[in-house]
Amino acid sequence: MAASGETKPKKSYNKGGGNSKGGGGGYKGGKGKFDNKKRKDPFEDLSPANKKRALKAQRQSFRPHAETVIAAKELWNKLRLKGNTQAETEKMMVELMTLLTGKFNKVALQHDASRVVQAAVQFGNKGQRKIIVRELCEEGSVSELCEEGSVSEL
């Protein structure tokens, strides 16, 4: 043991990380692979719930016909309410048909958007249903639609 007046020399640690031969493969300092710079998070100022919503919207924006699907889902949300009059339902169906005509095939294969197509079949008149079915049946996509789990209700 050391005498009361003597102190032990402190051990020196290599703060660069990695092994003592240099190279510095550790987390702090050296030539490491890790980038310690803080990356700017575009959703930093949002609450956790709003951050989650924003990230979901960002992911979905890369899907085919993203803007059309968002607008169609808003219409679908209004269309499926029980309190709509016949005139309101017809007006919303005309809007929905103008949005989705030519895109039913691609939209029906998306899980959340397939519900919009189901509502279009449910609330549409005979002419609108024929248009939807004709689009879904062309290009040999019937087998593809049957394999898709969310479209089985059509």
Side-chain angles (χ1 to χ4, degrees):
M1 286 252 128
S4 63
E6 295 177 28
T7 59
K8 279 185 168 180
K10 290 188 174 181
K11 255 188 171 178
S12 114
Y13 294 101
N14 183 1
K15 293 187 178 184
N19 58 20
S20 60
K21 295 182 181 180
Y27 182 71
K28 290 186 177 184
K31 299 178 187 175
K33 299 177 188 176
F34 304 108
D35 184 14
N36 291 336
K37 295 178 185 174
K38 274 233 171 186
R39 293 190 179 153
K40 180 70 175 162
D41 185 12
F43 308 116
E44 188 175 301
D45 301 332
L46 300 175
S47 70
N50 288 338
K51 186 176 183 178
K52 187 175 179 180
R53 285 186 194 105
L55 285 169
K56 182 179 178 184
Q58 184 184 30
R59 278 193 316 271
Q60 289 183 345
S61 68
F62 296 113
R63 295 161 66 185
H65 310 295
E67 296 84 24
T68 305
V69 170
I70 291 170
K73 282 169 57 176
E74 288 174 8
L75 269 172
W76 166 72
N77 223 6
K78 295 174 190 173
L79 185 65
R80 65 192 182 110
L81 297 175
K82 302 276 187 204
N84 292 334
T85 64
Q86 185 67 27
E88 290 172 334
T89 303
E90 288 173 4
K91 181 183 175 190
M92 285 187 271
M93 272 306 299
V94 169
E95 288 179 50
L96 192 61
M97 291 300 291
T98 56
L99 270 176
L100 295 178
T101 301
K103 303 171 190 168
F104 277 107
N105 204 3
K106 300 281 185 192
V107 170
L109 292 173
Q110 297 177 12
H111 176 74
D112 56 339
S114 66
R115 300 172 201 273
V116 177
V117 178
Q118 291 170 10
V121 171
Q122 179 183 356
F123 295 109
N125 58 31
K126 283 187 178 182
Q128 292 167 335
R129 288 185 191 142
K130 280 185 179 181
I131 292 170
I132 295 168
V133 171
R134 196 172 295 131
E135 273 192 44
L136 292 176
C137 291
E138 66 187 25
E139 299 176 21
S141 64
V142 176
S143 62
E144 195 176 333
L145 287 170
C146 292
E147 291 172 3
E148 184 70 27
S150 59
V151 187
S152 63
E153 304 300 321
L154 282 176

